[in-house]
Amino acid sequence: MATTTTKTLDDLFLDTLKDIYFAEKQILKALPKLARAAQSEEGKAGFLQHRDETQGQIERLEQVFEILGKPARGKTCEAIQGIIAEGEEITEEFKGSPALDAGLISSAQAVEHYEIARYGTLIAWANQLSLKDAVPLLQANLAEEVATDKKLTQLAQASANPKGKRAA
Ligand code: FE
Ligand code: FE
Ligand code: FE
């Protein structure tokens, strides 16, 4: 027999909003650490720029909570904790190595992909739930994550070819 519950898509939307709100706050704390660890100036600058964007993303999420009439509260996201812990492990284990920045970039991309997944879902649900004012806020966050992901890919390619050499 199927289990019935009174939970709805509205509850799932709120839960997922709390998940990404928690995640963004963890990311806000992790980005300055990545900036400190990065060897390249572009890497450092990129992580710090995204830290500032993340602050704005948190504010947009607070506006979404306001639209729902709910207090802005995070819910522990073990996925982002794991991704960030993996990044810290790479930072430790590859300290002083020429592969360090490649490792930091790969960790940062795992973070961005988690965020992209969450925002894609939240936008689809906000549309289904007719939360019209929430959609542009979530889309603005998604656009920044996608742009960051692209920048990280370029950074990875540049650090793989430090002398501007292109792979044959
Ligand atoms: Fe973010
Ligand atoms: Fe999560
Ligand atoms: Fe991000």
Side-chain angles (χ1 to χ4, degrees):
M1 199 175 77
T3 312
T4 52
T5 143
T6 54
K7 287 204 175 189
T8 64
L9 188 62
D10 297 81
D11 300 307
L12 192 56
F13 181 84
L14 180 60
D15 256 31
T16 306
L17 185 66
K18 289 177 175 176
D19 177 272
I20 192 67
Y21 186 64
F22 176 92
E24 291 288 12
K25 288 190 154 187
Q26 298 299 305
I27 295 163
L28 187 71
K29 286 192 268 180
L31 282 165
K33 292 183 198 168
L34 286 176
R36 269 197 300 280
Q39 290 168 332
S40 82
E41 285 310 311
E42 300 99 298
K44 282 184 189 296
F47 289 134
L48 288 179
Q49 190 202 327
H50 197 49
R51 188 229 160 261
D52 293 345
E53 282 176 346
T54 299
Q55 184 63 61
Q57 292 173 357
I58 289 170
E59 284 161 22
R60 288 193 199 104
L61 291 177
E62 286 166 354
Q63 286 178 255
V64 177
F65 279 107
E66 222 173 284
I67 289 166
L68 298 176
K70 302 283 183 188
R73 225 174 267 152
K75 183 180 182 193
T76 304
C77 170
E78 287 178 19
I80 204 70
Q81 287 178 329
I83 292 170
I84 290 172
E86 202 176 78
E88 286 168 351
E89 201 176 297
I90 289 171
T91 306
E92 272 306 302
E93 290 176 4
F94 284 82
K95 206 180 269 172
S97 138
L100 175 65
D101 279 19
L104 298 179
I105 291 166
S106 77
S107 300
Q109 276 191 301
V111 169
E112 295 314 312
H113 287 214
Y114 182 76
E115 295 181 290
I116 289 167
R118 281 290 167 266
Y119 285 121
T121 296
L122 282 168
I123 290 164
W125 289 345
N127 277 312
Q128 270 177 266
L129 296 168
S130 299
L131 295 167
K132 288 191 177 63
D133 296 336
V135 172
L137 293 164
L138 297 166
Q139 277 171 339
N141 283 10
L142 175 62
E144 288 177 351
E145 313 303 13
V146 169
T148 300
D149 182 47
K150 280 193 187 138
K151 272 189 234 163
L152 287 165
T153 296
Q154 288 165 357
L155 208 58
Q157 286 163 348
S159 68
N161 298 287
K163 288 163 191 142
K165 284 181 194 158
R166 303 206 177 261

